[in-house]
Amino acid sequence: MPVAIWQHITLAYSGFFISACLGIFGAIIAVRWSSLRVLLQSGSSLLQSIPAFTIVALVVPFLGIGFVPAVVVVIVTTILPVLRNTTIGLSSTDPVLIDASTGMGMTFCQMMRFVRFPLAIHPIFSGLRLSSIVANSVAVVTVFIGSGGLGAVVLEGLVRYHTPGILAGVLPAIFIALSADILLSRIERYLKPRYQ
Amino acid sequence: MTEMTVAGLSAVWTQYQLTTLTLIHLNLFGTAMIIILAIGLPLGIIAAMSSRGYLIVSVLNIIEMIPDIALLLLLIPVTGIGAAPTITAAVLYSLLPVVRNTMTGLTSFRPELIEIGESLGMTRGEILRIIRFPLSLPLVAGGIRIAVVYSMGIVTLGGIIGARGLGAALQAGITRNNMTLILVTGLWIGLLAVFMDSVAGLCERFLSKKYGDRP
C-alpha cells in the first residue's frame, strides 16, 4: 500500500510539475510574442478536448505502456488550465504599471520578474490548483497502461466488485489531492505580494 | 478501411450520418454550457462574497477528483443512460474551472479599489457590478473557456453510454477498427472544440469592449 501511494504521488506530481513548467513557459512566450498566443491556446484546447481516457488509449501506439507514457498523459491533460490562466494573469497587468516599468528602463525579463509575475500570482495559482486536482484523477485512469499506483488498487476492487477495495484506492487519492491543494494555497500565500 | 481521399472521407461522413450526430453533439454541449453558466457564475460570486467560499470549491475539488469516465459510469444508476448522465457529468466536471476562476477574479485585485467604491457610497451590488466584474472579466472568461473545452470532451465520452453525438461515431470507429472514421470524427471534434473556444473568445472581446476596464 505505501508503495502504491508513493507511485501515485510520483506519477501525478511529476506530470503536474512538468506541465506547470511547460505551461508557465508557454505563457511567457505567449505574452512576449502575441502572434504565438492564439496558436498556443488553440493547440492546448485541441489536446484538452480529447477525453483523458481516449488520450490514455492514443499514447499506447506511440509510446507503449508503463510509467513514461502515463506521465505524458498527465502532462497533456493538465497543461491547458496552467497555460490559459498564466497567460491571462501575465497579460492583464495594469498598463500604467507596464508604462512605469518601461519608463524605469526595465528589460522584458525584469518586468516579468518584478511586475507581471507578482501581480499574477492569484490567477496562476488558480490554474495550478485546478491542474493538480486533474493530474491526480488522471493518474488513477492511467492504470490501464500499466502505471501502477492507486489506480491499480481501484481497478482490483472494481474487477472483484469489492467496495472496500475501491475505497482503499479512492480515499487516499482524494486525501492526496486535497493535501496538494492546501500545500499550493500555502505557497500562494507565501508568494503573494506583501501589500495585498 | 476506406481510402483517405475526398470521396472516401465524404462516404464515411454520409455513411455514419455525421451531420445529424454533429447537431446532436452540439445540442448536448449547448445544454450543458447553459446549465454550467447558470450554476457556475452565481456559485463563483457566492464563493467570492462569503467567508466560507472555500467549502464550495473543496466540494467541487472532490468531484473533479473522480476520473471523467468513472463519473459517467457512476451516474448511470442515478440518471439512466443517454443524454441525462452525459449532461450531468459535463456540468459537474466543468463547474470547478468556472467557479474557481470567478472566485479568484472577483477577489484578487488591489483592495484600494473596493475602499474607493465604498467611500463613494456604492452598495455591495454596485461594487460587484461596477468594480469587481469588469476587473475580473478576463479571468472569468478564461474559466468559461476551459469549461467549454472540458464539456466538449465529456460530451464526446458520452458516446460510450448511449448519448448519441460524435462520441458514438468515434466509438463505432474504435470497435470496428475503422481508422478513417476515427480520424475524421476525432479531428472534427477537435476542430469543433477549438471553434467553440474561439466563439467564447469573441464573446469575451465583445464584453470587455462594452464593460471592461480598458479598451
Side-chain angles (χ1 to χ4, degrees):
Chain A
M1 201 55 202
V3 181
I5 291 177
W6 184 242
Q7 272 180 336
H8 181 81
I9 293 176
T10 333
L11 171 65
Y13 294 101
S14 59
F16 167 67
F17 186 73
I18 298 173
S19 92
C21 295
L22 285 177
I24 292 175
F25 184 69
I28 294 175
I29 291 180
V31 174
R32 180 73 183 81
W33 292 284
S34 51
S35 52
L36 289 176
R37 181 174 174 160
V38 176
L39 190 73
L40 279 168
Q41 291 206 337
S42 35
S44 60
S45 306
L46 195 65
L47 283 180
Q48 185 82 59
S49 68
I50 315 168
F53 197 68
T54 318
I55 299 180
V56 170
L58 278 177
V59 292
V60 177
F62 300 104
L63 297 166
I65 60 168
F67 183 77
V68 177
V71 172
V72 173
V73 174
V74 174
I75 295 171
V76 169
T77 47
T78 53
I79 200 163
L80 173 74
V82 184
L83 182 66
R84 179 149 282 167
N85 269 20
T86 312
T87 314
I88 293 169
L90 292 180
S91 55
S92 63
T93 321
D94 194 338
V96 177
L97 298 175
I98 302 289
D99 284 348
S101 49
T102 317
M104 287 166 73
M106 282 190 185
T107 62
F108 178 75
C109 295
Q110 284 172 330
M111 207 190 288
M112 275 289 169
R113 165 75 185 78
F114 297 109
V115 183
R116 288 188 192 256
F117 258 107
L119 288 172
I121 286 297
H122 284 298
I124 293 175
F125 270 82
S126 172
L128 285 177
R129 287 164 74 176
L130 179 61
S131 282
S132 84
I133 300 284
V134 175
N136 206 39
S137 73
V138 172
V140 175
V141 183
T142 51
V143 65
F144 291 107
I145 54 171
S147 63
L150 288 172
V153 181
V154 176
L155 188 66
E156 209 177 292
L158 274 179
V159 172
R160 294 190 196 156
Y161 214 77
H162 184 223
T163 314
I166 300 176
L167 287 180
V170 170
L171 291 180
I174 292 179
F175 181 73
I176 292 169
L178 292 180
S179 331
D181 196 53
I182 291 168
L183 184 69
L184 281 172
S185 81
R186 285 285 156 80
I187 301 177
E188 177 181 2
R189 208 176 301 160
Y190 173 74
L191 285 177
K192 80 175 178 193
R194 293 288 166 262
Y195 63 82
Q196 274 189 343
Chain B
M1 186 168 160
T2 343
E3 270 184 73
M4 295 290 281
T5 55
V6 177
L9 294 185
S10 67
V12 165
W13 187 277
T14 42
Q15 188 190 344
Y16 292 95
Q17 300 174 320
L18 289 190
T19 316
T20 328
L21 290 182
T22 307
L23 289 178
I24 298 172
H25 195 88
L26 291 179
N27 190 3
L28 290 170
F29 166 79
T31 319
M33 272 324 286
I34 289 169
I35 301 175
I36 290 163
L37 293 181
I39 301 178
L41 293 177
L43 265 185
I45 294 172
I46 293 169
M49 290 308 190
S50 80
S51 54
R52 302 237 158 241
Y54 63 92
L55 281 179
I56 298 178
V57 178
S58 302
V59 171
L60 290 175
N61 271 344
I62 292 176
I63 295 174
E64 195 83 7
M65 260 294 306
I66 310 168
D68 42 12
I69 191 161
L71 188 60
L72 272 182
L73 299 181
L74 284 174
L75 283 170
I76 293 177
V78 188
T79 52
I81 60 167
T86 309
I87 291 173
T88 318
V91 169
L92 286 175
Y93 213 64
S94 313
L95 270 181
L96 182 62
V98 177
V99 172
R100 168 158 273 168
N101 269 21
T102 308
M103 189 178 106
T104 313
L106 290 178
T107 49
S108 66
F109 46 83
R110 286 177 298 166
E112 304 96 275
L113 295 174
I114 303 286
E115 284 165 23
I116 293 171
E118 277 168 356
S119 61
L120 286 170
M122 287 183 181
T123 61
R124 282 185 84 177
E126 281 172 336
I127 290 179
L128 180 70
R129 191 163 50 84
I130 300 171
I131 301 178
R132 288 185 193 254
F133 177 67
L135 284 172
S136 66
L137 194 64
L139 210 54
V140 174
I144 294 172
R145 288 171 71 175
I146 296 177
V148 164
V149 177
Y150 274 15
S151 18
M152 208 67 177
I154 305 280
V155 168
T156 310
L157 201 58
I160 59 172
I161 56 165
R164 296 180 64 226
L166 292 168
L170 200 61
Q171 191 64 23
I174 292 169
T175 43
R176 292 173 205 174
N177 205 1
N178 182 341
M179 219 26 163
T180 323
L181 183 57
I182 296 178
L183 281 178
V184 170
T185 38
L187 279 178
W188 176 232
I189 294 167
L191 284 177
L192 274 181
V194 172
F195 176 71
M196 287 299 158
D197 186 38
S198 351
V199 170
L202 284 181
C203 295
E204 177 194 352
R205 196 174 299 170
F206 171 75
L207 279 177
S208 72
K209 258 190 195 143
K210 202 161 175 196
Y211 302 104
D213 62 328
R214 63 190 76 114

